[in-house]
Amino acid sequence: MGKTRMFWFLFFVGFCAAYKPVVFIHGFNGTPEDGNLIKDIIQKMHPGTLYYTANAFNRTDTVKPLWEEVAIVKPQLVKYMEAHPDGIHLICYSQGGLVCRGLLSTIPDHNVDTLIAVSSPMAGIYGDPHHLELYEKFSDFLAPLNNDSISPHITEFKHNFLRIKRMVLIGGPNDGLIRPWQSSLFGFYDENEIVQDMKKQQYFIKDSFGLRTMYEQNRLFMYNIKGIVHKQWVRNPDVIKGVFMKWLN
């Protein structure tokens, strides 16, 4: 191979290797194929980027308790992390965002560079905001992660969560499924059923799991995008190109 051809070959290999691998985790009643358009756009705009899916829980498996889903996905995600010690990006869609919260709160040496949570009910979905005591007593997923139930593991959860270098939250008022849609941005109803944003939530005020720290360190980014219904977040090329791709360095 001539010197010129060798130069361009090495340049291309180095250029492609510059992009961190991307792992896609789908949502409720979903499959890895839900991320096909994301994969296609990534590979066109960032040639050579490695793309993986968590092909571990599909369709009916997504009705399992969330900690069970976390346990199912964890071995695959750890394998991807170990294969790429320089870090990976996570794109987590819908319920997949909650699974990612559980994963990144319980993997002590994870190397996630950017977590992109796409229309994920990070603060939960509307049930009954008038019975917070029951939530604190019986929720075995969000309440411990938020330290609403005084979790003995909260120090570990917070330490692990803060290993995320950047978190990107995406949601919008026309979602139609996530209630309130502001849950995608860590907002939720108060006792009067009025939506309060992230900064007024106790887990933010108390910095229970590191959300406030991440915000104050300028590592938290939020998008409020109008006109997108829930199923279209991962099927809209404008959102993928204009928002997702910005963060996939």
PDB file of all heavy atoms in Angstrom, residues 97-117:
ATOM      1  N   GLY A  97     -35.733   4.298  29.932  1.00  0.00           N
ATOM      2  CA  GLY A  97     -35.023   5.295  30.736  1.00  0.00           C
ATOM      3  C   GLY A  97     -35.003   4.938  32.201  1.00  0.00           C
ATOM      4  O   GLY A  97     -34.014   5.187  32.901  1.00  0.00           O
ATOM      5  N   LEU A  98     -36.100   4.353  32.693  1.00  0.00           N
ATOM      6  CA  LEU A  98     -36.124   3.907  34.082  1.00  0.00           C
ATOM      7  C   LEU A  98     -35.191   2.724  34.281  1.00  0.00           C
ATOM      8  O   LEU A  98     -34.497   2.628  35.303  1.00  0.00           O
ATOM      9  CB  LEU A  98     -37.554   3.529  34.487  1.00  0.00           C
ATOM     10  CG  LEU A  98     -38.552   4.680  34.574  1.00  0.00           C
ATOM     11  CD1 LEU A  98     -39.932   4.153  34.945  1.00  0.00           C
ATOM     12  CD2 LEU A  98     -38.100   5.718  35.586  1.00  0.00           C
ATOM     13  N   VAL A  99     -35.183   1.816  33.308  1.00  0.00           N
ATOM     14  CA  VAL A  99     -34.250   0.690  33.382  1.00  0.00           C
ATOM     15  C   VAL A  99     -32.821   1.214  33.442  1.00  0.00           C
ATOM     16  O   VAL A  99     -31.994   0.737  34.233  1.00  0.00           O
ATOM     17  CB  VAL A  99     -34.434  -0.257  32.179  1.00  0.00           C
ATOM     18  CG1 VAL A  99     -33.370  -1.350  32.173  1.00  0.00           C
ATOM     19  CG2 VAL A  99     -35.825  -0.891  32.201  1.00  0.00           C
ATOM     20  N   CYS A 100     -32.530   2.239  32.635  1.00  0.00           N
ATOM     21  CA  CYS A 100     -31.184   2.822  32.643  1.00  0.00           C
ATOM     22  C   CYS A 100     -30.861   3.473  33.982  1.00  0.00           C
ATOM     23  O   CYS A 100     -29.721   3.402  34.457  1.00  0.00           O
ATOM     24  CB  CYS A 100     -31.042   3.827  31.514  1.00  0.00           C
ATOM     25  SG  CYS A 100     -30.919   3.053  29.889  1.00  0.00           S
ATOM     26  N   ARG A 101     -31.857   4.114  34.592  1.00  0.00           N
ATOM     27  CA  ARG A 101     -31.617   4.682  35.924  1.00  0.00           C
ATOM     28  C   ARG A 101     -31.214   3.592  36.899  1.00  0.00           C
ATOM     29  O   ARG A 101     -30.287   3.755  37.703  1.00  0.00           O
ATOM     30  CB  ARG A 101     -32.868   5.382  36.454  1.00  0.00           C
ATOM     31  CG  ARG A 101     -32.973   6.835  36.101  1.00  0.00           C
ATOM     32  CD  ARG A 101     -33.925   7.568  37.035  1.00  0.00           C
ATOM     33  NE  ARG A 101     -33.386   7.752  38.372  1.00  0.00           N
ATOM     34  CZ  ARG A 101     -34.059   8.247  39.390  1.00  0.00           C
ATOM     35  NH1 ARG A 101     -35.325   8.608  39.230  1.00  0.00           N
ATOM     36  NH2 ARG A 101     -33.501   8.400  40.573  1.00  0.00           N
ATOM     37  N   GLY A 102     -31.926   2.477  36.861  1.00  0.00           N
ATOM     38  CA  GLY A 102     -31.592   1.369  37.747  1.00  0.00           C
ATOM     39  C   GLY A 102     -30.213   0.803  37.454  1.00  0.00           C
ATOM     40  O   GLY A 102     -29.440   0.509  38.366  1.00  0.00           O
ATOM     41  N   LEU A 103     -29.889   0.683  36.178  1.00  0.00           N
ATOM     42  CA  LEU A 103     -28.577   0.151  35.792  1.00  0.00           C
ATOM     43  C   LEU A 103     -27.449   1.060  36.254  1.00  0.00           C
ATOM     44  O   LEU A 103     -26.476   0.608  36.874  1.00  0.00           O
ATOM     45  CB  LEU A 103     -28.518  -0.006  34.270  1.00  0.00           C
ATOM     46  CG  LEU A 103     -29.334  -1.145  33.666  1.00  0.00           C
ATOM     47  CD1 LEU A 103     -29.515  -0.939  32.161  1.00  0.00           C
ATOM     48  CD2 LEU A 103     -28.669  -2.489  33.946  1.00  0.00           C
ATOM     49  N   LEU A 104     -27.577   2.351  35.967  1.00  0.00           N
ATOM     50  CA  LEU A 104     -26.474   3.269  36.258  1.00  0.00           C
ATOM     51  C   LEU A 104     -26.384   3.631  37.732  1.00  0.00           C
ATOM     52  O   LEU A 104     -25.396   4.228  38.154  1.00  0.00           O
ATOM     53  CB  LEU A 104     -26.615   4.527  35.399  1.00  0.00           C
ATOM     54  CG  LEU A 104     -26.596   4.260  33.892  1.00  0.00           C
ATOM     55  CD1 LEU A 104     -26.658   5.563  33.116  1.00  0.00           C
ATOM     56  CD2 LEU A 104     -25.376   3.456  33.496  1.00  0.00           C
ATOM     57  N   SER A 105     -27.391   3.261  38.496  1.00  0.00           N
ATOM     58  CA  SER A 105     -27.323   3.456  39.945  1.00  0.00           C
ATOM     59  C   SER A 105     -26.717   2.253  40.648  1.00  0.00           C
ATOM     60  O   SER A 105     -26.338   2.360  41.822  1.00  0.00           O
ATOM     61  CB  SER A 105     -28.732   3.714  40.509  1.00  0.00           C
ATOM     62  OG  SER A 105     -29.280   4.903  39.989  1.00  0.00           O
ATOM     63  N   THR A 106     -26.600   1.139  39.940  1.00  0.00           N
ATOM     64  CA  THR A 106     -26.142  -0.102  40.598  1.00  0.00           C
ATOM     65  C   THR A 106     -24.900  -0.713  39.968  1.00  0.00           C
ATOM     66  O   THR A 106     -24.412  -1.726  40.463  1.00  0.00           O
ATOM     67  CB  THR A 106     -27.277  -1.151  40.584  1.00  0.00           C
ATOM     68  OG1 THR A 106     -27.708  -1.390  39.232  1.00  0.00           O
ATOM     69  CG2 THR A 106     -28.469  -0.680  41.411  1.00  0.00           C
ATOM     70  N   ILE A 107     -24.383  -0.112  38.904  1.00  0.00           N
ATOM     71  CA  ILE A 107     -23.120  -0.585  38.322  1.00  0.00           C
ATOM     72  C   ILE A 107     -22.023   0.356  38.802  1.00  0.00           C
ATOM     73  O   ILE A 107     -21.914   1.494  38.346  1.00  0.00           O
ATOM     74  CB  ILE A 107     -23.176  -0.606  36.783  1.00  0.00           C
ATOM     75  CG1 ILE A 107     -24.285  -1.536  36.303  1.00  0.00           C
ATOM     76  CG2 ILE A 107     -21.826  -1.057  36.210  1.00  0.00           C
ATOM     77  CD1 ILE A 107     -24.474  -1.554  34.794  1.00  0.00           C
ATOM     78  N   PRO A 108     -21.192  -0.085  39.739  1.00  0.00           N
ATOM     79  CA  PRO A 108     -20.259   0.832  40.417  1.00  0.00           C
ATOM     80  C   PRO A 108     -19.140   1.381  39.549  1.00  0.00           C
ATOM     81  O   PRO A 108     -18.591   2.443  39.841  1.00  0.00           O
ATOM     82  CB  PRO A 108     -19.699  -0.029  41.558  1.00  0.00           C
ATOM     83  CG  PRO A 108     -19.857  -1.438  41.086  1.00  0.00           C
ATOM     84  CD  PRO A 108     -21.120  -1.452  40.277  1.00  0.00           C
ATOM     85  N   ASP A 109     -18.786   0.681  38.480  1.00  0.00           N
ATOM     86  CA  ASP A 109     -17.653   1.142  37.668  1.00  0.00           C
ATOM     87  C   ASP A 109     -18.074   1.394  36.226  1.00  0.00           C
ATOM     88  O   ASP A 109     -17.290   1.230  35.298  1.00  0.00           O
ATOM     89  CB  ASP A 109     -16.519   0.125  37.717  1.00  0.00           C
ATOM     90  CG  ASP A 109     -16.986  -1.285  37.334  1.00  0.00           C
ATOM     91  OD1 ASP A 109     -18.205  -1.483  37.162  1.00  0.00           O
ATOM     92  OD2 ASP A 109     -16.128  -2.187  37.206  1.00  0.00           O
ATOM     93  N   HIS A 110     -19.329   1.801  36.028  1.00  0.00           N
ATOM     94  CA  HIS A 110     -19.788   2.031  34.654  1.00  0.00           C
ATOM     95  C   HIS A 110     -19.037   3.195  34.022  1.00  0.00           C
ATOM     96  O   HIS A 110     -18.489   4.059  34.712  1.00  0.00           O
ATOM     97  CB  HIS A 110     -21.304   2.264  34.610  1.00  0.00           C
ATOM     98  CG  HIS A 110     -21.754   3.617  35.057  1.00  0.00           C
ATOM     99  ND1 HIS A 110     -21.599   4.747  34.282  1.00  0.00           N
ATOM    100  CD2 HIS A 110     -22.376   4.032  36.196  1.00  0.00           C
ATOM    101  CE1 HIS A 110     -22.095   5.790  34.918  1.00  0.00           C
ATOM    102  NE2 HIS A 110     -22.563   5.393  36.085  1.00  0.00           N
ATOM    103  N   ASN A 111     -19.011   3.184  32.701  1.00  0.00           N
ATOM    104  CA  ASN A 111     -18.262   4.210  31.977  1.00  0.00           C
ATOM    105  C   ASN A 111     -19.137   4.934  30.954  1.00  0.00           C
ATOM    106  O   ASN A 111     -18.700   5.226  29.841  1.00  0.00           O
ATOM    107  CB  ASN A 111     -17.038   3.592  31.288  1.00  0.00           C
ATOM    108  CG  ASN A 111     -17.430   2.511  30.279  1.00  0.00           C
ATOM    109  OD1 ASN A 111     -18.606   2.186  30.134  1.00  0.00           O
ATOM    110  ND2 ASN A 111     -16.439   1.946  29.593  1.00  0.00           N
ATOM    111  N   VAL A 112     -20.369   5.247  31.341  1.00  0.00           N
ATOM    112  CA  VAL A 112     -21.280   5.944  30.437  1.00  0.00           C
ATOM    113  C   VAL A 112     -20.871   7.404  30.300  1.00  0.00           C
ATOM    114  O   VAL A 112     -20.772   8.125  31.296  1.00  0.00           O
ATOM    115  CB  VAL A 112     -22.737   5.829  30.924  1.00  0.00           C
ATOM    116  CG1 VAL A 112     -23.655   6.753  30.118  1.00  0.00           C
ATOM    117  CG2 VAL A 112     -23.219   4.389  30.801  1.00  0.00           C
ATOM    118  N   ASP A 113     -20.629   7.813  29.094  1.00  0.00           N
ATOM    119  CA  ASP A 113     -20.290   9.202  28.811  1.00  0.00           C
ATOM    120  C   ASP A 113     -21.561  10.046  28.820  1.00  0.00           C
ATOM    121  O   ASP A 113     -21.715  10.956  29.639  1.00  0.00           O
ATOM    122  CB  ASP A 113     -19.586   9.298  27.456  1.00  0.00           C
ATOM    123  CG  ASP A 113     -19.121  10.705  27.130  1.00  0.00           C
ATOM    124  OD1 ASP A 113     -19.997  11.567  26.889  1.00  0.00           O
ATOM    125  OD2 ASP A 113     -17.908  10.963  27.107  1.00  0.00           O
ATOM    126  N   THR A 114     -22.495   9.716  27.922  1.00  0.00           N
ATOM    127  CA  THR A 114     -23.729  10.480  27.810  1.00  0.00           C
ATOM    128  C   THR A 114     -24.932   9.554  27.887  1.00  0.00           C
ATOM    129  O   THR A 114     -25.003   8.567  27.158  1.00  0.00           O
ATOM    130  CB  THR A 114     -23.783  11.262  26.484  1.00  0.00           C
ATOM    131  OG1 THR A 114     -22.641  12.116  26.401  1.00  0.00           O
ATOM    132  CG2 THR A 114     -25.048  12.108  26.394  1.00  0.00           C
ATOM    133  N   LEU A 115     -25.855   9.888  28.767  1.00  0.00           N
ATOM    134  CA  LEU A 115     -27.140   9.201  28.848  1.00  0.00           C
ATOM    135  C   LEU A 115     -28.185  10.102  28.187  1.00  0.00           C
ATOM    136  O   LEU A 115     -28.398  11.232  28.624  1.00  0.00           O
ATOM    137  CB  LEU A 115     -27.530   8.942  30.299  1.00  0.00           C
ATOM    138  CG  LEU A 115     -28.995   8.530  30.545  1.00  0.00           C
ATOM    139  CD1 LEU A 115     -29.304   7.188  29.878  1.00  0.00           C
ATOM    140  CD2 LEU A 115     -29.303   8.471  32.042  1.00  0.00           C
ATOM    141  N   ILE A 116     -28.824   9.605  27.132  1.00  0.00           N
ATOM    142  CA  ILE A 116     -29.917  10.318  26.482  1.00  0.00           C
ATOM    143  C   ILE A 116     -31.201   9.589  26.832  1.00  0.00           C
ATOM    144  O   ILE A 116     -31.417   8.449  26.404  1.00  0.00           O
ATOM    145  CB  ILE A 116     -29.730  10.382  24.958  1.00  0.00           C
ATOM    146  CG1 ILE A 116     -28.408  11.078  24.608  1.00  0.00           C
ATOM    147  CG2 ILE A 116     -30.911  11.101  24.303  1.00  0.00           C
ATOM    148  CD1 ILE A 116     -28.115  11.124  23.111  1.00  0.00           C
ATOM    149  N   ALA A 117     -32.042  10.218  27.650  1.00  0.00           N
ATOM    150  CA  ALA A 117     -33.316   9.629  28.067  1.00  0.00           C
ATOM    151  C   ALA A 117     -34.421  10.264  27.235  1.00  0.00           C
ATOM    152  O   ALA A 117     -34.702  11.459  27.367  1.00  0.00           O
ATOM    153  CB  ALA A 117     -33.549   9.843  29.551  1.00  0.00           C
TER     154      ALA A 117
END
